[in-house]
Amino acid sequence: MASRPIVYRHYKRALAQWPVDVLRPQVSFQGTMHRRIEKQFGPSDNDKTAYDPSKESKDTLVSPPKPSDEGAELDQVNVLYSFLEDRYSKKYPLSDRLMKPLSDPEHYEKIIKELEEAPNRSWFGSMVNRWKGMIRWS
């Protein structure tokens, strides 16, 4: 393949910057998108993990290749970049009234703390938290 489309290079750059999901490392957005763009634009010559259609299962979630509209593809790449740059949280900041409801002002702080602790929690710690959630002391 002589020259890769500019859309392909933008996809690869955006996916290289995409963060890994620490809660579900076995589910990879990057891997799914990589398979999609390899199917769409063809495997690269120097790519060791190139798409191999013989390894594809019949019930795959990746859609078959279609003729691409470069403008639409660039719009999709722009959406990826907008998520990476956090454009929406900058454009639409959340107010304190929304983030600290009167019924439980620390609700979202507790959720964030729980999400930060979850990937490093042991199996026993997970079971203790599960039991705490099932038993309510009042």
Side-chain angles (χ1 to χ4, degrees), residues 41-54:
F41 299 108
S44 65
D45 296 334
N46 59 1
D47 192 359
K48 295 181 180 95
T49 60
Y51 171 72
D52 183 9
S54 64

Side-chain angles (χ1 to χ4, degrees), residues 57-68:
S57 66
K58 299 243 187 252
D59 55 350
T60 182
L61 296 176
V62 180
S63 61
K66 299 175 186 161
S68 65

Side-chain angles (χ1 to χ4, degrees), residues 1-137:
M1 206 166 221
S3 171
R4 304 303 294 224
I6 187 115
V7 176
Y8 177 84
R9 290 191 295 267
H10 278 296
Y11 268 125
K12 295 296 269 189
R13 187 175 335 148
L15 292 175
Q17 296 173 16
W18 200 267
V20 176
D21 186 355
V22 293
L23 291 177
R24 298 172 295 168
Q26 70 278 8
V27 179
S28 171
F29 176 74
Q30 297 94 325
T32 303
M33 287 300 295
H34 180 73
R35 285 189 299 276
R36 179 188 171 267
I37 63 173
E38 289 300 321
K39 199 170 193 180
Q40 184 78 25
F41 299 108
S44 65
D45 296 334
N46 59 1
D47 192 359
K48 295 181 180 95
T49 60
Y51 171 72
D52 183 9
S54 64
K55 294 180 181 176
E56 190 75 28
S57 66
K58 299 243 187 252
D59 55 350
T60 182
L61 296 176
V62 180
S63 61
K66 299 175 186 161
S68 65
D69 174 18
E70 192 168 346
E73 291 289 336
L74 282 173
D75 288 342
Q76 290 181 14
V77 171
N78 188 29
V79 170
L80 284 177
Y81 280 125
S82 71
F83 285 133
L84 282 171
E85 296 166 1
D86 222 5
R87 287 183 207 162
Y88 303 107
S89 66
K90 293 173 185 170
K91 187 173 182 178
Y92 307 104
L94 298 175
S95 68
D96 279 343
R97 268 185 64 204
L98 185 64
M99 293 305 293
K100 297 182 187 264
L102 295 177
S103 60
D104 187 4
E106 297 175 354
H107 176 72
Y108 293 110
E109 292 169 9
K110 291 176 193 173
I111 291 176
I112 290 170
K113 180 182 173 197
E114 177 68 23
L115 288 173
E116 288 171 349
E117 291 174 357
N120 302 322
R121 188 174 296 131
S122 67
W123 178 85
F124 182 72
S126 297
M127 294 308 286
V128 168
N129 277 356
R130 185 177 295 170
W131 281 100
K132 280 187 199 176
M134 290 181 194
I135 300 172
R136 302 286 178 183
W137 304 102

